[in-house]
Amino acid sequence: MRDLVQLRPMDAVRALVATGRPDPRVLQAVFAFFVSVDFAIRGLAGGGVGLVGWPGAGLALTLVTTVLAFTVPWHRFREDLVTVIPVLDVAALGAVRLSPDGSAAGILVVVPALWLGRQLGRRGAGVVALAVALLTAVPGLLVLGADSIAVSRAVMIVVVAAWSALAIAFGLERIRYERDEAERRGEELAEALRRIEEQQRTTQAIFDAVDVGLVLLDHEGRYRDHNRRQAELLALAHPDGHAGRAGQAGLVFADDGVTVLEPDQEPAARAARGEEFEDCRTWFGEDPAERRALAVSARALRTADGAFAGAALAYKDVTDLVEALAVKDDFVALVSHELRTPLTSITGYVEMLQDRTDLPDVVVGQLEVVDRNARRLLHLVGGLLDSALHASGPMPLDRSRRDLVAVVRDAVEAAGPAARVASLQLEVELPDELWLDLDALRIGQVVDNLLSNAVKYTRPGGTVTVCLTADPTQAHLAVSDTGIGISPADRERLFTRFFRSRQAEELCIQGLGLGLPITRTIVEAHGGSIDVDSRHGHGSTFTVHLPLS
Ligand code: ADP
């Protein structure tokens, strides 16, 4: 009775929705209600209700079953045991149908059939067919006669009941399958989410641990994220605080460490405009003891359809490197300057000695060797000094209106003896004259460097060609050789100080790797440019372009 008192219809419905398991009390109450309605309708319609005989027994059985449904604690037994109730309902309907006045209650077998189909699955359809056949159809035929309509009705009632059970069994199987699928997908989703969260934590840890300042900007230049190192760097450049937006004025300096960068020229502001760059040198902070030199790289972020979505910047601290290079340059400049003075004196005295006519031939020959080597040393020391002095600053020029053809011709003449010793043919194609504003000494140095390289890196029997042409705006000086050539990988590093190709090292060709960087510095100081064309193993052409005005 306690179960009867405790039945709350809404709770039962909620339990059915949540678990898919029907409460036997609810189903039985529905069945009993329909049976009662059948009796009530027949009573009201004036036909015999028939509370005695088979129909009365059927009603009584329905009542007993309903009491059982409400009082037996079904949840304590095996789940299938509760199916005894719908089977009893089928038996009750079998009896109710036996009313001599006739009854349409047989249609109600659908209720226990659905119940059994729900409870036992496809098996339930078999149980239903058997129960309805034995307890409803056959007794009907036996008691009420077996004319053709009665037989058809009996068969139909079995078929409809079995079909109802089967339909609900399939329906539930489908629902269960879909629920399992949804659960599986939910689990996969939860697993993916867990992995993403873990990855996010790892990325954040790395983001904060690296010793490189990292910034993510959105498409409007706002700081979406930055790491701990970047916060320290920002504190140097913006001691009064940073508003989290690219292009804020602050203590941000250009490569020279002195010029304050305009806010729109700061690396973050350039990146916010979609620019991409590599190792852009900048200084953060003013205090010499604390300021940091940074090499900044930026990459644009794009959406799937290519629209600008922001930028990622990396600020690499290169202060130690910059300071070490400065110390090295100072040292090299000092040493080469100190070497130059005694060397100049040596070449001067050698020249004086060579002017004498009373020296024996053997001494003249020895003096020539001393002179050649002293000049070579002077040339090397000059190169070191140039490289140290102009490593990070503009090269001062002493320009005047000069004939470039004369400058080139002098350099070719000077290279003649070396070309002859190396058994090379030296070919020259020059116009009559070509006047330019230039520093003749420095441009002479450029032609010397290119010619001496061409001679050095060409095997005996080869050819070196010097060709000077001009168009309305530029002079073009090409120095070509049929020498060892330069590989594409080496070509990119040719103008880096102290770079020497592996082939040059392997062939033991002497050099320091300073000639080309100095050459480029001089050419660029004149507003010109230099490019290289080379086929590895077949020769190279270095072309200098100088503006005419
Ligand atoms: P150096 O010749 O003193 O080594 P450079 O700066 O003049 O220094 O040249 C740098 C490197 O470029 C050389 O070591 C060599 O490997 C390569 N190189 C320059 N000119 C030529 C050339 N004409 N042919 C082949 N390789 C060259």
Side-chain angles (χ1 to χ4, degrees), residues 317-536:
D317 190 336
V318 290
T319 316
D320 294 344
L321 187 68
V322 168
E323 285 172 356
L325 282 176
V327 169
K328 190 203 74 185
D329 284 343
D330 287 351
F331 176 74
V332 171
L334 183 80
V335 170
S336 40
H337 187 263
E338 292 304 308
L339 283 175
R340 219 144 75 137
T341 317
L343 269 175
T344 317
S345 157
I346 290 172
T347 51
Y349 276 100
V350 170
E351 251 176 54
M352 277 162 61
L353 278 173
Q354 282 175 323
D355 285 346
R356 283 175 57 167
T357 50
D358 57 337
L359 295 176
D361 283 353
V362 62
V363 175
V364 172
Q366 286 163 347
L367 276 177
E368 252 172 41
V369 175
V370 173
D371 185 48
R372 198 169 54 242
N373 282 298
R375 282 182 195 285
R376 194 168 123 68
L377 213 52
L378 202 57
H379 178 74
L380 290 177
V381 168
L384 275 175
L385 191 59
D386 273 344
S387 136
L389 288 181
H390 310 301
S392 58
M395 173 179 269
L397 295 177
D398 181 13
R399 294 171 88 141
S400 59
R401 195 102 189 122
R402 298 291 293 268
D403 181 9
L404 180 58
V405 176
V407 176
V408 174
R409 200 172 282 132
D410 285 352
V412 171
E413 259 170 38
R420 271 194 300 281
V421 170
S423 309
L424 300 178
Q425 199 172 328
L426 193 52
E427 293 179 356
V428 186
E429 295 167 34
L430 300 175
D432 292 340
E433 55 179 15
L434 187 58
W435 291 86
L436 262 82
D437 268 340
L438 48 83
D439 183 328
L441 254 179
R442 289 299 190 185
I443 292 295
Q445 198 179 345
V446 165
V447 191
D448 281 346
N449 281 345
L450 296 180
L451 269 172
S452 77
N453 277 350
V455 170
K456 260 197 307 188
Y457 299 109
T458 304
R459 295 194 178 92
T463 307
V464 172
T465 311
V466 181
C467 175
L468 179 61
T469 55
D471 60 30
T473 55
Q474 281 187 317
H476 309 282
L477 173 71
V479 179
S480 313
D481 61 61
T482 55
I484 59 174
I486 303 156
S487 70
D490 284 346
R491 227 173 294 160
E492 288 176 14
R493 303 177 55 205
L494 275 188
F495 297 95
T496 312
R497 287 194 300 159
F498 300 107
F499 171 75
R500 306 216 61 224
S501 70
R502 179 167 335 155
Q503 218 187 345
E505 301 275 23
E506 279 169 2
L507 294 171
C508 297
I509 303 173
Q510 285 190 347
L512 273 183
L514 286 175
L516 287 181
I518 293 170
T519 299
R520 184 159 76 173
T521 308
I522 297 173
V523 171
E524 286 178 351
H526 280 83
S529 62
I530 179 166
D531 52 53
V532 191
D533 190 15
S534 180
R535 273 183 66 210
H536 199 200

Side-chain angles (χ1 to χ4, degrees), residues 125-191:
V127 174
V128 168
L130 198 67
V132 174
L134 292 179
L135 301 174
T136 305
V138 173
L141 293 176
L142 290 177
V143 176
L144 302 175
D147 58 20
S148 60
I149 293 182
V151 170
S152 165
R153 220 185 261 155
V155 171
M156 282 305 132
I157 203 166
V158 173
V159 171
V160 168
W163 179 249
S164 308
L166 211 55
I168 196 155
F170 276 132
L172 284 172
E173 268 177 31
R174 175 85 209 151
I175 289 172
R176 251 179 242 131
Y177 170 76
E178 275 169 10
R179 193 190 54 204
D180 289 351
E181 269 295 285
E183 263 171 25
R184 194 181 54 75
R185 261 186 247 130
E187 274 163 23
E188 276 176 9
L189 219 62
E191 173 63 19

Side-chain angles (χ1 to χ4, degrees), residues 58-120:
L59 185 61
L61 182 55
T62 303
L63 283 176
V64 171
T65 311
T66 307
V67 171
L68 284 177
F70 275 84
T71 52
V72 175
W74 297 103
H75 54 274
R76 291 207 201 132
F77 306 121
R78 268 185 55 202
E79 212 189 316
D80 288 355
L81 199 68
V82 77
T83 52
V84 76
I85 294 182
V87 173
L88 287 175
D89 287 342
V90 173
L93 285 175
V96 173
R97 272 180 83 233
L98 298 180
S99 162
D101 306 318
S103 164
I107 194 73
L108 291 180
V109 287
V110 171
V111 178
L114 289 175
W115 187 341
L116 283 164
R118 152 73 192 72
Q119 199 80 31
L120 303 176

